[in-house]
Amino acid sequence: MTTIKADDYERIVFFTGAGMSAESGVPTYRGRGGIWNQYRWEEYACQEAFDDNPEKVLQFHELRRQSVLACKPHPGHFVVANLAKKHPGVAVVTQNIDGMHQRAGNFEVIEMHGSLWRVRCPIHGIADEPDEKYKSFRCEQCGNWLRPDIIWFGDMLNQDVIHEATRIIRQCDLFISVGTSGAVWPAAGFPKIAKEQGARCIEINPEANDMSSIYDENLREAAGNALPKLFE
Ligand code: APR
């Protein structure tokens, strides 16, 4: 299998999706065991669902927080976290809301789809919510329901976050995608941007998808096996 010396590259982007956390025990969204096979996103992951029944949506997200906290980062998370600490040109762009990258090492991650660990009051803004249980479903100051600070189906993406992710990907010379089905835009277009910039593009995913042909190399392995071998 290919091995990579991180120092041979100036700017490295790890672009991760739900498959990055799968070996930690966090379910993916699609495919076998996928969250959207078990739960209808229309009832749990869109603004309309929250407006109809905020309590049900918050309970679902509280359950997700508990199940994520019961999981631990795997060796692949530690490879990425250690590289991010050592190499000034490493950036992590994730579609994941689970915070698993950060738990492997305290470093900055561009979170495209928000975070399970934040809530948003329409009046008092965003607050961190790092614990298993929400302190309260309602804002202590104004009584409004607190909405998970997550990009749900039908939501606008945070344009500042997308610009920052795109800017970084335009500069990279190595782009490594890990565990994404390439089904959700604009994230699905990121490998193409990297490729057009001339970056070496590597996909780590046990299964092929519509975006796989863009990559220079496809490593059909699980993240927790592939990442430690790639950067040994
Ligand atoms: N290692 C690497 N990849 C894996 C592993 C693993 N151990 N296990 C599964 N995968 C791959 C699957 O083959 C699949 O291609 O991870 C991918 C997971 O795909 P999705 O569940 O669609 O997750 P993702 O691409 O992150 O979804 C994007 O969709 O519902 C929204 O907002 C949600 O951020 C999410 C977005």
Side-chain angles (χ1 to χ4, degrees):
M1 177 171 151
T2 327
T3 56
I4 286 177
K5 278 203 187 71
D7 290 340
D8 289 347
Y9 295 88
E10 258 179 57
R11 288 171 194 273
I12 304 172
V13 171
F14 289 95
F15 170 55
T16 65
M20 179 76 209
S21 300
E23 286 148 274
S24 293
V26 182
T28 59
Y29 292 98
R30 298 169 185 80
R32 204 166 352 113
I35 290 175
W36 303 143
N37 302 335
Q38 203 186 339
Y39 295 93
R40 292 181 66 237
W41 63 259
E42 293 88 340
E43 285 178 50
Y44 297 98
C46 63
Q47 187 61 45
E48 290 76 9
F50 187 68
D51 294 341
D52 279 356
N53 194 341
E55 218 159 1
K56 176 174 161 181
V57 171
L58 282 161
Q59 277 161 357
F60 167 76
H61 285 85
E62 193 161 68
L63 263 182
R64 290 216 56 204
R65 290 154 64 102
Q66 288 164 9
S67 70
V68 167
L69 275 190
C71 299
K72 290 193 176 64
H74 61 66
H77 285 113
F78 289 106
V79 168
V80 174
N82 290 337
L83 283 169
K85 272 185 231 155
K86 278 198 300 219
H87 190 310
V90 168
V92 178
V93 177
T94 191
Q95 297 167 89
N96 298 343
I97 57 172
D98 57 24
M100 294 298 281
H101 280 299
Q102 294 91 325
R103 279 171 62 194
N106 189 15
F107 66 103
E108 209 164 302
V109 174
I110 299 178
E111 295 177 312
M112 295 192 50
H113 294 163
S115 172
L116 255 183
W117 309 105
R118 293 193 301 265
V119 286
R120 214 159 66 205
C121 165
I123 295 173
H124 295 98
I126 294 171
D128 285 335
E129 261 281 6
D131 300 326
E132 200 175 344
K133 281 194 138 320
Y134 287 111
K135 280 200 282 294
S136 163
F137 281 0
R138 289 180 180 270
C139 175
E140 283 168 7
Q141 295 172 72
C142 66
N144 269 303
W145 290 104
L146 292 169
R147 182 206 195 280
D149 189 29
I150 292 170
I151 307 290
W152 284 329
F153 288 90
D155 286 347
M156 294 277 290
L157 291 159
N158 180 327
Q159 288 308 310
D160 292 342
V161 174
I162 303 304
H163 281 146
E164 180 59 3
T166 312
R167 187 185 70 78
I168 287 173
I169 291 166
R170 287 220 169 94
Q171 294 171 350
C172 76
D173 49 0
L174 177 63
F175 179 89
I176 301 178
S177 130
V178 190
T180 178
S181 61
V184 174
W185 289 82
F190 286 170
K192 192 156 179 276
I193 296 174
K195 185 75 196 154
E196 280 165 5
Q197 292 310 118
R200 177 179 178 190
C201 294
I202 299 176
E203 176 190 45
I204 299 176
N205 193 324
E207 287 173 34
N209 56 59
D210 290 349
M211 295 295 153
S212 294
S213 59
I214 288 176
Y215 295 89
D216 301 303
E217 290 144 87
N218 308 96
L219 308 181
R220 296 277 163 248
E221 280 198 65
N225 288 333
L227 282 163
K229 281 197 270 172
L230 196 57
F231 290 95
E232 69 188 0

